[in-house]
Amino acid sequence: DTGVSQDPRHKITKRGQNVTFRCDPISEHNRLYWYRQTLGQGPEFLTYFQNEAQLEKSRLLSDRFSAERPKGSFSTLEIQRTEQGDSAMYLCASITPRTGYGNTIYFGEGSWLTVV
Amino acid sequence: AQSVTQLDSHVSVSEGTPVLLRCNYSSSYSPSLFWYVQHPNKGLQLLLKYTSAATLVKGINGFEAEFKKSETSFHLTKPSAHMSDAAEYFCVVSDLSGSARQLTFGSGTQLTVLP
């Protein structure tokens, strides 16, 4: 499978625990995005990377959230001291920008987080 | 700044009848526009995209959308609904040419297909 893969697909954790999600983008894609989607809502932007550089972070990304892409390939999203409000699906997407328009963004199937 | 408004949160059609999901956008630049579909507990699948070429865009599974700049609309249509079309649909605007570097999603339209 050469699509965007995310792991784990589902995670149930107790409040206060730390969790980490991994995203493996399509191999030639240099831009990687993280989104959060809560029930009944569209995905909301969290952060994105151009290669290993984290270029933009949403105000939704509190100091308990950290994302890395150390070698410009896979990325991790860590949530520390989880709260029940963190329960959501965390989506990863990747793209290889070309000059002009028409770049297709490919999404993974998401990582579901339930904080109990 | 860019934004997307999906005019209907829920649409219900009978199998075999036409589907219309409405989307209006706002963008400072010439945008790229997408429709994605999300089945329950699944990720997002691209249906079609507009990239400043032909204004009528054909996608997968018989869906198509027409970009109308004068109306700032990008409505999604399908001539005949199938039960498998029941899902959540998201209209998305992307401005990768300017300072906005992320996708902006609409709030989604839940499509129900009745037998």
Side-chain angles (χ1 to χ4, degrees), chain A residues 31 33 35 37 42-43 45 48 56 89 95 101-105 107-109, chain B residues 30 32 34 36 38 41 43-44 46 49 51 90 96-97 101-103 105-106:
Chain A
R31 190 174 287 182
Y33 297 79
Y35 286 80
Q37 185 179 18
F45 169 76
Y48 94 99
E56 191 163 344
M89 181 164 70
I95 185 174
Y101 308 113
N103 306 300
T104 298
I105 301 95
F107 285 87
E109 293 205 327
Chain B
S30 296
S32 293
F34 306 80
Y36 281 85
Q38 187 175 36
N41 300 318
L44 292 155
L46 178 68
K49 62 181 181 181
T51 61
F90 293 98
L96 294 175
S97 65
R101 298 183 184 277
Q102 64 267 27
L103 309 176
F105 284 76

PDB file of all heavy atoms in Angstrom, chain A residues 31 33 35 37 42-43 45 48 56 89 95 101-105 107-109, chain B residues 30 32 34 36 38 41 43-44 46 49 51 90 96-97 101-103 105-106:
ATOM      1  N   ARG A  31       5.448  17.564   1.942  1.00  0.00           N
ATOM      2  CA  ARG A  31       4.636  18.374   2.840  1.00  0.00           C
ATOM      3  C   ARG A  31       3.646  17.466   3.578  1.00  0.00           C
ATOM      4  O   ARG A  31       2.963  16.648   2.957  1.00  0.00           O
ATOM      5  CB  ARG A  31       3.913  19.461   2.067  1.00  0.00           C
ATOM      6  CG  ARG A  31       3.227  20.489   2.936  1.00  0.00           C
ATOM      7  CD  ARG A  31       2.665  21.617   2.115  1.00  0.00           C
ATOM      8  NE  ARG A  31       3.707  22.513   1.608  1.00  0.00           N
ATOM      9  CZ  ARG A  31       3.460  23.604   0.890  1.00  0.00           C
ATOM     10  NH1 ARG A  31       2.209  23.920   0.609  1.00  0.00           N
ATOM     11  NH2 ARG A  31       4.424  24.363   0.475  1.00  0.00           N
ATOM     12  N   TYR A  33       0.645  17.249   6.778  1.00  0.00           N
ATOM     13  CA  TYR A  33      -0.296  17.998   7.610  1.00  0.00           C
ATOM     14  C   TYR A  33      -0.880  17.094   8.697  1.00  0.00           C
ATOM     15  O   TYR A  33      -1.087  15.907   8.480  1.00  0.00           O
ATOM     16  CB  TYR A  33      -1.487  18.476   6.773  1.00  0.00           C
ATOM     17  CG  TYR A  33      -1.178  19.434   5.656  1.00  0.00           C
ATOM     18  CD1 TYR A  33      -0.665  18.980   4.445  1.00  0.00           C
ATOM     19  CD2 TYR A  33      -1.447  20.781   5.787  1.00  0.00           C
ATOM     20  CE1 TYR A  33      -0.411  19.859   3.397  1.00  0.00           C
ATOM     21  CE2 TYR A  33      -1.204  21.672   4.741  1.00  0.00           C
ATOM     22  CZ  TYR A  33      -0.690  21.194   3.555  1.00  0.00           C
ATOM     23  OH  TYR A  33      -0.447  22.075   2.533  1.00  0.00           O
ATOM     24  N   TYR A  35      -4.399  17.104  11.118  1.00  0.00           N
ATOM     25  CA  TYR A  35      -5.712  17.694  11.362  1.00  0.00           C
ATOM     26  C   TYR A  35      -6.379  16.953  12.513  1.00  0.00           C
ATOM     27  O   TYR A  35      -6.077  15.796  12.794  1.00  0.00           O
ATOM     28  CB  TYR A  35      -6.620  17.566  10.128  1.00  0.00           C
ATOM     29  CG  TYR A  35      -6.269  18.502   9.010  1.00  0.00           C
ATOM     30  CD1 TYR A  35      -5.228  18.208   8.139  1.00  0.00           C
ATOM     31  CD2 TYR A  35      -6.968  19.690   8.837  1.00  0.00           C
ATOM     32  CE1 TYR A  35      -4.899  19.079   7.121  1.00  0.00           C
ATOM     33  CE2 TYR A  35      -6.643  20.562   7.815  1.00  0.00           C
ATOM     34  CZ  TYR A  35      -5.608  20.246   6.965  1.00  0.00           C
ATOM     35  OH  TYR A  35      -5.278  21.123   5.956  1.00  0.00           O
ATOM     36  N   GLN A  37     -10.320  16.018  13.962  1.00  0.00           N
ATOM     37  CA  GLN A  37     -11.733  15.995  13.614  1.00  0.00           C
ATOM     38  C   GLN A  37     -12.533  15.444  14.776  1.00  0.00           C
ATOM     39  O   GLN A  37     -12.312  14.312  15.207  1.00  0.00           O
ATOM     40  CB  GLN A  37     -11.978  15.150  12.360  1.00  0.00           C
ATOM     41  CG  GLN A  37     -13.426  15.181  11.883  1.00  0.00           C
ATOM     42  CD  GLN A  37     -13.640  14.362  10.629  1.00  0.00           C
ATOM     43  OE1 GLN A  37     -12.840  13.520  10.264  1.00  0.00           O
ATOM     44  NE2 GLN A  37     -14.750  14.618   9.944  1.00  0.00           N
ATOM     45  N   GLY A  42     -16.063  19.118  10.592  1.00  0.00           N
ATOM     46  CA  GLY A  42     -15.035  18.903   9.595  1.00  0.00           C
ATOM     47  C   GLY A  42     -13.662  18.951  10.237  1.00  0.00           C
ATOM     48  O   GLY A  42     -13.497  19.461  11.347  1.00  0.00           O
ATOM     49  N   PRO A  43     -12.659  18.418   9.568  1.00  0.00           N
ATOM     50  CA  PRO A  43     -11.300  18.455  10.109  1.00  0.00           C
ATOM     51  C   PRO A  43     -10.812  19.885  10.305  1.00  0.00           C
ATOM     52  O   PRO A  43     -11.122  20.783   9.525  1.00  0.00           O
ATOM     53  CB  PRO A  43     -10.478  17.744   9.031  1.00  0.00           C
ATOM     54  CG  PRO A  43     -11.457  16.877   8.318  1.00  0.00           C
ATOM     55  CD  PRO A  43     -12.736  17.656   8.315  1.00  0.00           C
ATOM     56  N   PHE A  45      -7.293  22.218  11.004  1.00  0.00           N
ATOM     57  CA  PHE A  45      -5.844  22.218  10.841  1.00  0.00           C
ATOM     58  C   PHE A  45      -5.137  22.327  12.186  1.00  0.00           C
ATOM     59  O   PHE A  45      -5.500  23.141  13.032  1.00  0.00           O
ATOM     60  CB  PHE A  45      -5.466  23.394   9.948  1.00  0.00           C
ATOM     61  CG  PHE A  45      -3.998  23.700   9.881  1.00  0.00           C
ATOM     62  CD1 PHE A  45      -3.142  22.905   9.133  1.00  0.00           C
ATOM     63  CD2 PHE A  45      -3.470  24.784  10.568  1.00  0.00           C
ATOM     64  CE1 PHE A  45      -1.790  23.191   9.062  1.00  0.00           C
ATOM     65  CE2 PHE A  45      -2.126  25.079  10.499  1.00  0.00           C
ATOM     66  CZ  PHE A  45      -1.282  24.285   9.744  1.00  0.00           C
ATOM     67  N   TYR A  48       1.661  21.854  10.068  1.00  0.00           N
ATOM     68  CA  TYR A  48       2.180  21.208   8.873  1.00  0.00           C
ATOM     69  C   TYR A  48       3.693  21.353   8.779  1.00  0.00           C
ATOM     70  O   TYR A  48       4.293  22.243   9.370  1.00  0.00           O
ATOM     71  CB  TYR A  48       1.472  21.710   7.617  1.00  0.00           C
ATOM     72  CG  TYR A  48       2.115  22.838   6.867  1.00  0.00           C
ATOM     73  CD1 TYR A  48       2.886  22.572   5.731  1.00  0.00           C
ATOM     74  CD2 TYR A  48       1.914  24.147   7.249  1.00  0.00           C
ATOM     75  CE1 TYR A  48       3.455  23.597   5.009  1.00  0.00           C
ATOM     76  CE2 TYR A  48       2.488  25.178   6.530  1.00  0.00           C
ATOM     77  CZ  TYR A  48       3.245  24.905   5.409  1.00  0.00           C
ATOM     78  OH  TYR A  48       3.809  25.925   4.697  1.00  0.00           O
ATOM     79  N   GLU A  56       4.054  25.849  10.350  1.00  0.00           N
ATOM     80  CA  GLU A  56       2.904  26.566  10.862  1.00  0.00           C
ATOM     81  C   GLU A  56       2.193  25.715  11.893  1.00  0.00           C
ATOM     82  O   GLU A  56       2.108  24.500  11.755  1.00  0.00           O
ATOM     83  CB  GLU A  56       1.945  26.938   9.730  1.00  0.00           C
ATOM     84  CG  GLU A  56       0.853  27.914  10.138  1.00  0.00           C
ATOM     85  CD  GLU A  56       0.181  28.570   8.940  1.00  0.00           C
ATOM     86  OE1 GLU A  56       0.749  28.516   7.832  1.00  0.00           O
ATOM     87  OE2 GLU A  56      -0.906  29.128   9.122  1.00  0.00           O
ATOM     88  N   MET A  89     -10.593  12.300  16.203  1.00  0.00           N
ATOM     89  CA  MET A  89      -9.792  11.575  15.223  1.00  0.00           C
ATOM     90  C   MET A  89      -8.682  12.507  14.732  1.00  0.00           C
ATOM     91  O   MET A  89      -8.955  13.666  14.389  1.00  0.00           O
ATOM     92  CB  MET A  89     -10.628  11.103  14.039  1.00  0.00           C
ATOM     93  CG  MET A  89      -9.806  10.312  13.019  1.00  0.00           C
ATOM     94  SD  MET A  89     -10.776   9.351  11.857  1.00  0.00           S
ATOM     95  CE  MET A  89     -11.506  10.632  10.865  1.00  0.00           C
ATOM     96  N   ILE A  95       1.280  15.767   0.681  1.00  0.00           N
ATOM     97  CA  ILE A  95       1.166  16.385  -0.634  1.00  0.00           C
ATOM     98  C   ILE A  95       2.566  16.698  -1.133  1.00  0.00           C
ATOM     99  O   ILE A  95       3.474  16.934  -0.332  1.00  0.00           O
ATOM    100  CB  ILE A  95       0.333  17.680  -0.536  1.00  0.00           C
ATOM    101  CG1 ILE A  95       0.069  18.299  -1.899  1.00  0.00           C
ATOM    102  CG2 ILE A  95       0.999  18.693   0.374  1.00  0.00           C
ATOM    103  CD1 ILE A  95      -0.860  19.488  -1.838  1.00  0.00           C
ATOM    104  N   TYR A 101      -1.349  25.236  -9.311  1.00  0.00           N
ATOM    105  CA  TYR A 101      -2.424  24.658  -8.531  1.00  0.00           C
ATOM    106  C   TYR A 101      -2.597  23.187  -8.850  1.00  0.00           C
ATOM    107  O   TYR A 101      -1.911  22.617  -9.664  1.00  0.00           O
ATOM    108  CB  TYR A 101      -3.725  25.400  -8.848  1.00  0.00           C
ATOM    109  CG  TYR A 101      -3.599  26.882  -8.709  1.00  0.00           C
ATOM    110  CD1 TYR A 101      -3.677  27.702  -9.820  1.00  0.00           C
ATOM    111  CD2 TYR A 101      -3.376  27.466  -7.477  1.00  0.00           C
ATOM    112  CE1 TYR A 101      -3.545  29.061  -9.707  1.00  0.00           C
ATOM    113  CE2 TYR A 101      -3.243  28.830  -7.361  1.00  0.00           C
ATOM    114  CZ  TYR A 101      -3.327  29.625  -8.481  1.00  0.00           C
ATOM    115  OH  TYR A 101      -3.190  30.969  -8.362  1.00  0.00           O
ATOM    116  N   GLY A 102      -3.581  22.645  -8.172  1.00  0.00           N
ATOM    117  CA  GLY A 102      -3.986  21.294  -8.554  1.00  0.00           C
ATOM    118  C   GLY A 102      -3.309  20.198  -7.783  1.00  0.00           C
ATOM    119  O   GLY A 102      -3.350  19.052  -8.199  1.00  0.00           O
ATOM    120  N   ASN A 103      -2.679  20.552  -6.666  1.00  0.00           N
ATOM    121  CA  ASN A 103      -2.018  19.511  -5.892  1.00  0.00           C
ATOM    122  C   ASN A 103      -3.045  18.723  -5.100  1.00  0.00           C
ATOM    123  O   ASN A 103      -3.850  19.282  -4.379  1.00  0.00           O
ATOM    124  CB  ASN A 103      -1.030  20.169  -4.936  1.00  0.00           C
ATOM    125  CG  ASN A 103      -0.085  21.081  -5.677  1.00  0.00           C
ATOM    126  OD1 ASN A 103       0.633  20.654  -6.546  1.00  0.00           O
ATOM    127  ND2 ASN A 103      -0.103  22.351  -5.329  1.00  0.00           N
ATOM    128  N   THR A 104      -2.998  17.431  -5.227  1.00  0.00           N
ATOM    129  CA  THR A 104      -3.934  16.582  -4.520  1.00  0.00           C
ATOM    130  C   THR A 104      -3.385  16.243  -3.154  1.00  0.00           C
ATOM    131  O   THR A 104      -2.226  15.866  -3.012  1.00  0.00           O
ATOM    132  CB  THR A 104      -4.200  15.297  -5.312  1.00  0.00           C
ATOM    133  OG1 THR A 104      -4.795  15.658  -6.562  1.00  0.00           O
ATOM    134  CG2 THR A 104      -5.145  14.390  -4.549  1.00  0.00           C
ATOM    135  N   ILE A 105      -4.231  16.406  -2.154  1.00  0.00           N
ATOM    136  CA  ILE A 105      -3.865  16.083  -0.791  1.00  0.00           C
ATOM    137  C   ILE A 105      -4.410  14.695  -0.473  1.00  0.00           C
ATOM    138  O   ILE A 105      -5.579  14.433  -0.665  1.00  0.00           O
ATOM    139  CB  ILE A 105      -4.439  17.116   0.192  1.00  0.00           C
ATOM    140  CG1 ILE A 105      -3.911  18.513  -0.146  1.00  0.00           C
ATOM    141  CG2 ILE A 105      -4.087  16.777   1.614  1.00  0.00           C
ATOM    142  CD1 ILE A 105      -4.796  19.330  -1.018  1.00  0.00           C
ATOM    143  N   PHE A 107      -5.114  11.752   2.305  1.00  0.00           N
ATOM    144  CA  PHE A 107      -5.323  11.575   3.736  1.00  0.00           C
ATOM    145  C   PHE A 107      -5.123  10.120   4.147  1.00  0.00           C
ATOM    146  O   PHE A 107      -5.445   9.199   3.400  1.00  0.00           O
ATOM    147  CB  PHE A 107      -6.739  11.986   4.121  1.00  0.00           C
ATOM    148  CG  PHE A 107      -6.943  13.471   4.158  1.00  0.00           C
ATOM    149  CD1 PHE A 107      -7.289  14.163   3.012  1.00  0.00           C
ATOM    150  CD2 PHE A 107      -6.789  14.164   5.347  1.00  0.00           C
ATOM    151  CE1 PHE A 107      -7.472  15.534   3.042  1.00  0.00           C
ATOM    152  CE2 PHE A 107      -6.973  15.535   5.391  1.00  0.00           C
ATOM    153  CZ  PHE A 107      -7.313  16.220   4.236  1.00  0.00           C
ATOM    154  N   GLY A 108      -4.639   9.947   5.359  1.00  0.00           N
ATOM    155  CA  GLY A 108      -4.665   8.633   5.980  1.00  0.00           C
ATOM    156  C   GLY A 108      -6.056   8.347   6.522  1.00  0.00           C
ATOM    157  O   GLY A 108      -6.951   9.195   6.444  1.00  0.00           O
ATOM    158  N   GLU A 109      -6.221   7.169   7.101  1.00  0.00           N
ATOM    159  CA  GLU A 109      -7.530   6.790   7.625  1.00  0.00           C
ATOM    160  C   GLU A 109      -7.766   7.298   9.042  1.00  0.00           C
ATOM    161  O   GLU A 109      -8.833   7.099   9.595  1.00  0.00           O
ATOM    162  CB  GLU A 109      -7.706   5.275   7.550  1.00  0.00           C
ATOM    163  CG  GLU A 109      -7.784   4.769   6.114  1.00  0.00           C
ATOM    164  CD  GLU A 109      -8.523   3.455   6.010  1.00  0.00           C
ATOM    165  OE1 GLU A 109      -8.432   2.654   6.953  1.00  0.00           O
ATOM    166  OE2 GLU A 109      -9.180   3.218   4.975  1.00  0.00           O
TER     167      GLU A 109
ATOM    168  N   SER B  30      -7.116  32.748  -6.569  1.00  0.00           N
ATOM    169  CA  SER B  30      -7.789  31.694  -7.325  1.00  0.00           C
ATOM    170  C   SER B  30      -7.561  30.377  -6.602  1.00  0.00           C
ATOM    171  O   SER B  30      -6.430  29.906  -6.508  1.00  0.00           O
ATOM    172  CB  SER B  30      -7.236  31.624  -8.751  1.00  0.00           C
ATOM    173  OG  SER B  30      -7.517  32.801  -9.452  1.00  0.00           O
ATOM    174  N   SER B  32      -7.868  26.309  -5.346  1.00  0.00           N
ATOM    175  CA  SER B  32      -8.154  24.932  -5.732  1.00  0.00           C
ATOM    176  C   SER B  32      -9.296  24.467  -4.841  1.00  0.00           C
ATOM    177  O   SER B  32      -9.345  24.797  -3.654  1.00  0.00           O
ATOM    178  CB  SER B  32      -6.931  24.035  -5.514  1.00  0.00           C
ATOM    179  OG  SER B  32      -5.891  24.378  -6.399  1.00  0.00           O
ATOM    180  N   PHE B  34     -11.916  21.126  -3.737  1.00  0.00           N
ATOM    181  CA  PHE B  34     -11.989  19.684  -3.679  1.00  0.00           C
ATOM    182  C   PHE B  34     -13.318  19.267  -3.035  1.00  0.00           C
ATOM    183  O   PHE B  34     -13.887  19.996  -2.228  1.00  0.00           O
ATOM    184  CB  PHE B  34     -10.864  19.102  -2.797  1.00  0.00           C
ATOM    185  CG  PHE B  34      -9.477  19.539  -3.169  1.00  0.00           C
ATOM    186  CD1 PHE B  34      -8.994  20.778  -2.782  1.00  0.00           C
ATOM    187  CD2 PHE B  34      -8.643  18.701  -3.891  1.00  0.00           C
ATOM    188  CE1 PHE B  34      -7.698  21.179  -3.109  1.00  0.00           C
ATOM    189  CE2 PHE B  34      -7.360  19.095  -4.211  1.00  0.00           C
ATOM    190  CZ  PHE B  34      -6.888  20.328  -3.830  1.00  0.00           C
ATOM    191  N   TYR B  36     -14.362  15.852  -0.822  1.00  0.00           N
ATOM    192  CA  TYR B  36     -13.935  14.600  -0.217  1.00  0.00           C
ATOM    193  C   TYR B  36     -15.169  13.903   0.376  1.00  0.00           C
ATOM    194  O   TYR B  36     -16.111  14.553   0.826  1.00  0.00           O
ATOM    195  CB  TYR B  36     -12.932  14.845   0.917  1.00  0.00           C
ATOM    196  CG  TYR B  36     -11.522  15.129   0.455  1.00  0.00           C
ATOM    197  CD1 TYR B  36     -11.133  16.417   0.101  1.00  0.00           C
ATOM    198  CD2 TYR B  36     -10.578  14.100   0.369  1.00  0.00           C
ATOM    199  CE1 TYR B  36      -9.828  16.670  -0.314  1.00  0.00           C
ATOM    200  CE2 TYR B  36      -9.288  14.347  -0.048  1.00  0.00           C
ATOM    201  CZ  TYR B  36      -8.919  15.634  -0.392  1.00  0.00           C
ATOM    202  OH  TYR B  36      -7.632  15.878  -0.807  1.00  0.00           O
ATOM    203  N   GLN B  38     -16.350  10.882   3.252  1.00  0.00           N
ATOM    204  CA  GLN B  38     -15.908  10.135   4.429  1.00  0.00           C
ATOM    205  C   GLN B  38     -17.010   9.169   4.848  1.00  0.00           C
ATOM    206  O   GLN B  38     -18.084   9.592   5.281  1.00  0.00           O
ATOM    207  CB  GLN B  38     -15.575  11.088   5.568  1.00  0.00           C
ATOM    208  CG  GLN B  38     -14.946  10.402   6.770  1.00  0.00           C
ATOM    209  CD  GLN B  38     -14.526  11.405   7.831  1.00  0.00           C
ATOM    210  OE1 GLN B  38     -15.197  12.413   8.052  1.00  0.00           O
ATOM    211  NE2 GLN B  38     -13.404  11.147   8.476  1.00  0.00           N
ATOM    212  N   ASN B  41     -16.316   5.911  10.232  1.00  0.00           N
ATOM    213  CA  ASN B  41     -15.081   5.372  10.808  1.00  0.00           C
ATOM    214  C   ASN B  41     -13.967   5.193   9.781  1.00  0.00           C
ATOM    215  O   ASN B  41     -13.063   4.379   9.971  1.00  0.00           O
ATOM    216  CB  ASN B  41     -15.348   4.043  11.517  1.00  0.00           C
ATOM    217  CG  ASN B  41     -16.352   4.195  12.639  1.00  0.00           C
ATOM    218  OD1 ASN B  41     -16.309   5.162  13.398  1.00  0.00           O
ATOM    219  ND2 ASN B  41     -17.282   3.264  12.725  1.00  0.00           N
ATOM    220  N   GLY B  43     -11.247   7.236   6.789  1.00  0.00           N
ATOM    221  CA  GLY B  43     -10.594   8.496   6.451  1.00  0.00           C
ATOM    222  C   GLY B  43     -11.279   9.173   5.282  1.00  0.00           C
ATOM    223  O   GLY B  43     -12.351   8.785   4.834  1.00  0.00           O
ATOM    224  N   LEU B  44     -10.633  10.187   4.766  1.00  0.00           N
ATOM    225  CA  LEU B  44     -11.196  10.996   3.694  1.00  0.00           C
ATOM    226  C   LEU B  44     -10.721  10.502   2.336  1.00  0.00           C
ATOM    227  O   LEU B  44      -9.529  10.286   2.125  1.00  0.00           O
ATOM    228  CB  LEU B  44     -10.773  12.452   3.875  1.00  0.00           C
ATOM    229  CG  LEU B  44     -11.374  13.128   5.094  1.00  0.00           C
ATOM    230  CD1 LEU B  44     -10.492  14.269   5.562  1.00  0.00           C
ATOM    231  CD2 LEU B  44     -12.765  13.633   4.771  1.00  0.00           C
ATOM    232  N   LEU B  46     -10.721  11.361  -1.803  1.00  0.00           N
ATOM    233  CA  LEU B  46     -10.933  12.417  -2.781  1.00  0.00           C
ATOM    234  C   LEU B  46     -11.941  11.976  -3.832  1.00  0.00           C
ATOM    235  O   LEU B  46     -11.795  10.928  -4.445  1.00  0.00           O
ATOM    236  CB  LEU B  46      -9.610  12.774  -3.459  1.00  0.00           C
ATOM    237  CG  LEU B  46      -9.689  13.844  -4.539  1.00  0.00           C
ATOM    238  CD1 LEU B  46     -10.037  15.199  -3.920  1.00  0.00           C
ATOM    239  CD2 LEU B  46      -8.374  13.933  -5.309  1.00  0.00           C
ATOM    240  N   LYS B  49     -11.495  17.266  -7.953  1.00  0.00           N
ATOM    241  CA  LYS B  49     -10.834  18.514  -7.639  1.00  0.00           C
ATOM    242  C   LYS B  49     -10.929  19.473  -8.826  1.00  0.00           C
ATOM    243  O   LYS B  49     -10.939  19.056  -9.981  1.00  0.00           O
ATOM    244  CB  LYS B  49      -9.374  18.292  -7.275  1.00  0.00           C
ATOM    245  CG  LYS B  49      -8.533  17.703  -8.392  1.00  0.00           C
ATOM    246  CD  LYS B  49      -7.091  17.496  -7.934  1.00  0.00           C
ATOM    247  CE  LYS B  49      -6.241  16.915  -9.060  1.00  0.00           C
ATOM    248  NZ  LYS B  49      -4.838  16.688  -8.634  1.00  0.00           N
ATOM    249  N   THR B  51      -8.924  22.705 -10.551  1.00  0.00           N
ATOM    250  CA  THR B  51      -7.577  23.262 -10.509  1.00  0.00           C
ATOM    251  C   THR B  51      -7.375  24.342 -11.554  1.00  0.00           C
ATOM    252  O   THR B  51      -6.291  24.465 -12.106  1.00  0.00           O
ATOM    253  CB  THR B  51      -6.557  22.142 -10.733  1.00  0.00           C
ATOM    254  OG1 THR B  51      -6.790  21.577 -12.034  1.00  0.00           O
ATOM    255  CG2 THR B  51      -6.666  21.072  -9.688  1.00  0.00           C
ATOM    256  N   PHE B  90     -17.388  16.536   2.290  1.00  0.00           N
ATOM    257  CA  PHE B  90     -16.727  17.777   2.679  1.00  0.00           C
ATOM    258  C   PHE B  90     -16.250  18.535   1.450  1.00  0.00           C
ATOM    259  O   PHE B  90     -15.574  17.965   0.587  1.00  0.00           O
ATOM    260  CB  PHE B  90     -15.527  17.517   3.586  1.00  0.00           C
ATOM    261  CG  PHE B  90     -15.902  16.972   4.939  1.00  0.00           C
ATOM    262  CD1 PHE B  90     -15.849  15.622   5.196  1.00  0.00           C
ATOM    263  CD2 PHE B  90     -16.311  17.832   5.942  1.00  0.00           C
ATOM    264  CE1 PHE B  90     -16.191  15.114   6.440  1.00  0.00           C
ATOM    265  CE2 PHE B  90     -16.657  17.343   7.195  1.00  0.00           C
ATOM    266  CZ  PHE B  90     -16.604  15.975   7.437  1.00  0.00           C
ATOM    267  N   LEU B  96      -2.764  27.252  -2.084  1.00  0.00           N
ATOM    268  CA  LEU B  96      -1.350  26.933  -1.919  1.00  0.00           C
ATOM    269  C   LEU B  96      -0.457  27.946  -2.603  1.00  0.00           C
ATOM    270  O   LEU B  96       0.738  27.799  -2.639  1.00  0.00           O
ATOM    271  CB  LEU B  96      -1.059  25.530  -2.459  1.00  0.00           C
ATOM    272  CG  LEU B  96      -1.726  24.395  -1.688  1.00  0.00           C
ATOM    273  CD1 LEU B  96      -1.491  23.065  -2.369  1.00  0.00           C
ATOM    274  CD2 LEU B  96      -1.214  24.341  -0.258  1.00  0.00           C
ATOM    275  N   SER B  97      -1.069  28.974  -3.151  1.00  0.00           N
ATOM    276  CA  SER B  97      -0.255  29.945  -3.877  1.00  0.00           C
ATOM    277  C   SER B  97       0.107  31.140  -3.002  1.00  0.00           C
ATOM    278  O   SER B  97       1.024  31.862  -3.312  1.00  0.00           O
ATOM    279  CB  SER B  97      -1.005  30.452  -5.097  1.00  0.00           C
ATOM    280  OG  SER B  97      -2.158  31.172  -4.697  1.00  0.00           O
ATOM    281  N   ARG B 101      -1.600  28.251   4.020  1.00  0.00           N
ATOM    282  CA  ARG B 101      -0.922  27.014   3.654  1.00  0.00           C
ATOM    283  C   ARG B 101      -1.672  25.772   4.097  1.00  0.00           C
ATOM    284  O   ARG B 101      -1.118  24.694   4.106  1.00  0.00           O
ATOM    285  CB  ARG B 101       0.477  27.004   4.262  1.00  0.00           C
ATOM    286  CG  ARG B 101       1.347  28.137   3.757  1.00  0.00           C
ATOM    287  CD  ARG B 101       2.747  28.035   4.322  1.00  0.00           C
ATOM    288  NE  ARG B 101       3.555  29.174   3.924  1.00  0.00           N
ATOM    289  CZ  ARG B 101       4.187  29.256   2.759  1.00  0.00           C
ATOM    290  NH1 ARG B 101       4.081  28.280   1.897  1.00  0.00           N
ATOM    291  NH2 ARG B 101       4.899  30.310   2.465  1.00  0.00           N
ATOM    292  N   GLN B 102      -2.900  25.936   4.493  1.00  0.00           N
ATOM    293  CA  GLN B 102      -3.626  24.753   4.905  1.00  0.00           C
ATOM    294  C   GLN B 102      -4.958  24.701   4.188  1.00  0.00           C
ATOM    295  O   GLN B 102      -5.426  25.664   3.616  1.00  0.00           O
ATOM    296  CB  GLN B 102      -3.853  24.746   6.420  1.00  0.00           C
ATOM    297  CG  GLN B 102      -4.723  25.884   6.937  1.00  0.00           C
ATOM    298  CD  GLN B 102      -3.900  27.068   7.364  1.00  0.00           C
ATOM    299  OE1 GLN B 102      -2.813  27.282   6.863  1.00  0.00           O
ATOM    300  NE2 GLN B 102      -4.410  27.841   8.293  1.00  0.00           N
ATOM    301  N   LEU B 103      -5.543  23.529   4.224  1.00  0.00           N
ATOM    302  CA  LEU B 103      -6.864  23.345   3.663  1.00  0.00           C
ATOM    303  C   LEU B 103      -7.901  23.914   4.609  1.00  0.00           C
ATOM    304  O   LEU B 103      -7.746  23.856   5.818  1.00  0.00           O
ATOM    305  CB  LEU B 103      -7.152  21.858   3.474  1.00  0.00           C
ATOM    306  CG  LEU B 103      -6.098  21.047   2.741  1.00  0.00           C
ATOM    307  CD1 LEU B 103      -6.506  19.586   2.736  1.00  0.00           C
ATOM    308  CD2 LEU B 103      -5.922  21.557   1.335  1.00  0.00           C
ATOM    309  N   PHE B 105     -11.825  23.306   5.493  1.00  0.00           N
ATOM    310  CA  PHE B 105     -12.933  22.396   5.280  1.00  0.00           C
ATOM    311  C   PHE B 105     -14.259  23.063   5.574  1.00  0.00           C
ATOM    312  O   PHE B 105     -14.367  23.884   6.500  1.00  0.00           O
ATOM    313  CB  PHE B 105     -12.804  21.185   6.215  1.00  0.00           C
ATOM    314  CG  PHE B 105     -11.783  20.181   5.793  1.00  0.00           C
ATOM    315  CD1 PHE B 105     -10.440  20.419   5.983  1.00  0.00           C
ATOM    316  CD2 PHE B 105     -12.172  18.994   5.199  1.00  0.00           C
ATOM    317  CE1 PHE B 105      -9.482  19.490   5.585  1.00  0.00           C
ATOM    318  CE2 PHE B 105     -11.236  18.052   4.807  1.00  0.00           C
ATOM    319  CZ  PHE B 105      -9.896  18.308   4.996  1.00  0.00           C
ATOM    320  N   GLY B 106     -15.270  22.688   4.808  1.00  0.00           N
ATOM    321  CA  GLY B 106     -16.621  23.013   5.205  1.00  0.00           C
ATOM    322  C   GLY B 106     -17.027  22.128   6.371  1.00  0.00           C
ATOM    323  O   GLY B 106     -16.299  21.214   6.769  1.00  0.00           O
TER     324      GLY B 106
END
